[in-house]
Each structure stands twice: as C-alpha cells, then as structure tokens.
Amino acid sequence: MKIQKPAVAGTLESSDAQVTVEPGEGSLELDLSSSVMNQYGRQIKATVLETLERLGVTDARVTVVDKGALDCTLKARVECAVFRSCGASEQNIPWGGVVR
C-alpha cells in the first residue's frame, strides 16, 4: 500500500498507542517512543515492522508513541492508520483480515 497522506490512529491513554503515518522519502522510517522501551522496545519495533510488511508498506515515515499497548493493539493501530492514509477506511474493509 502506498501512503498518500498523513493519518493518525490511537490515543495517548494508558495501555494504548498513537500511530502516525506520513508519506516517506524513499524508505521506511520508524520513530518509536514508549513508556516501556527498556522492557519491550525490541518487541514493539518488531510488531510494527511486521504489520507494515504485511500491509505492503515500504515507503513511509511512521511515528509510534506507545503507552504500554499490547501487540494486538499495536497491530490494529498501525493497520487503521495505514488504511486511513490510503483513503481505504471509507470502503467496506474486513478489518483484521490483512493482519494475522
């Protein structure tokens, strides 16, 4: 999927994450901040990158502000932000169908 415009999904509440996607400059850039970075930083990064790969996103600037979200929440936020950015969220999408 090609990121067409900036989009945001999620909140800054406890146990959630806010994901922002923007058009990239030829590569995938990930900016990650988390209240549990020392404990789970590698797993959060792996989950976000895996989700982007499954969605076919290769050129984007992705910012994740994590407040202790579970993996399933991270996947849902990334998926939602990408679909919003592509204008696909207005269509009848089987949410969760792309992300396993």
Side-chain angles (χ1 to χ4, degrees):
M1 292 187 161
K2 182 170 173 44
I3 303 301
Q4 298 174 357
K5 61 184 179 185
V8 178
T11 69
L12 295 175
E13 298 293 321
S14 181
S15 300
D16 201 356
Q18 186 175 63
V19 176
T20 305
V21 295
E22 301 173 279
E25 297 175 357
S27 65
L28 191 59
E29 298 175 43
L30 176 60
D31 180 25
L32 173 62
S33 64
S34 175
S35 59
V36 291
M37 184 66 88
N38 291 333
Q39 297 91 341
Y40 301 107
R42 280 183 274 170
Q43 178 61 36
I44 294 167
K45 181 177 180 180
T47 299
V48 171
L49 291 176
E50 176 185 315
T51 305
L52 291 168
E53 181 181 326
R54 288 187 186 190
L55 291 169
V57 176
T58 57
D59 181 19
R61 183 177 315 133
V62 181
T63 305
V64 179
V65 180
D66 173 62
K67 298 292 184 177
L70 297 173
D71 282 354
C72 57
T73 302
L74 287 167
K75 290 177 184 180
R77 298 305 187 209
V78 171
E79 184 180 85
C80 183
V82 169
F83 284 157
R84 284 178 178 170
S85 172
C86 298
S89 62
E90 292 96 27
Q91 300 170 6
N92 188 17
I93 293 177
W95 290 101
V98 177
V99 179
R100 296 179 195 121

